[in-house]
Structure formats: structure tokens, C-alpha cells
Amino acid sequence: EVQLVESGGGLVQPGGSLTLSCKTSGFTFGSVDMCWIRQPPGKGPEWVSAIDGGDGGAFYADSVKGRFTISGDKAKNTLFLQMNMLRPDDTAVYYCARGDPSEALQHRELWGQGTQVTVSS
């Protein structure tokens, strides 16, 4: 059974940092594309970052480029999202998902349960 379990969300002040984790099981982590998706309150989901399962290449939405870093630990079957210089408009539920962003955005069943990130003073 495929499982994706996110953690690490919370309340942080603007300019602060958080690291999200996504513990995976049921498939060979590191051999498939993975991504982070977020859903701001009252809005639709949007992709944030992706990592290529083949060469490990990383991709970022323009809104987070230079502030967020995606990485993976194959030994721990875990995907990470390091988030720096957080802004109020980063407030959202963050989900990790199997697949590239275009595929994941169309298939909710590929996502984990999500973790809430709130950026507020």
C-alpha cells in the first residue's frame, strides 16, 4: 500500500523558516517523480516544487524560487521541502504527491493527507 505522510507544518512569523517532511512507503522512493502541492485557503491547489526521479533535478514555481528547496533522502524514503523567507501568501495546506505536477494536480489520490503551514505575525 502506498502511503505518504507529511509533517513539519505549523505557525511561523513572516521571514521565518520551516522544513516539511514526507515519509513514504509502498513504492521505490527515488525512482519516481515527486512533488509538493499546496492549497491556500479558499483557492485551488497549485504546484510548488518537483524533483525528477531519474536525475534528481529540482523545479520550482516562480513564487517560491530562491526561497524553497526540495530534496530527498533515499535511505529514509523521505521527501523534504525547506522553506525560507516565508510570506503570508505561503499560507496553505501543503501536500506531497507522487508524479510530476501536471499528473499530481489531476489525481488527488496521489497526495498525502497534508500539513498546515500558517505564516502570520
Side-chain angles (χ1 to χ4, degrees):
E1 178 187 6
V2 172
Q3 288 194 325
L4 306 172
V5 180
E6 301 93 334
S7 61
L11 173 64
V12 62
Q13 292 187 342
S17 299
L18 282 174
T19 300
L20 305 184
S21 300
C22 174
K23 177 68 175 175
T24 74
S25 60
F27 65 100
T28 304
F29 179 82
S31 66
V32 299
D33 297 341
M34 297 287 296
C35 62
W36 287 96
I37 291 169
R38 69 185 181 187
Q39 186 159 14
K43 298 184 179 180
E46 60 188 26
W47 83 281
V48 174
S49 182
I51 189 165
D52 188 296
D55 61 15
F59 305 89
Y60 301 95
D62 287 344
S63 59
V64 306
K65 199 170 295 183
R67 300 188 298 122
F68 290 11
T69 303
I70 190 172
S71 64
D73 185 332
K74 293 183 181 181
K76 297 182 178 179
N77 294 327
T78 301
L79 183 72
F80 300 100
L81 185 69
Q82 172 68 44
M83 306 186 295
N84 298 325
M85 296 181 287
L86 284 161
R87 310 183 309 214
D89 61 358
D90 293 317
T91 295
V93 180
Y94 284 71
Y95 302 89
C96 69
R98 297 177 67 198
D100 63 44
S102 61
E103 177 185 15
L105 284 170
Q106 297 183 52
H107 296 280
R108 178 64 179 86
E109 66 272 19
L110 298 175
W111 307 5
Q113 87 289 347
T115 186
Q116 176 71 47
V117 172
T118 302
V119 185
S120 175
S121 55

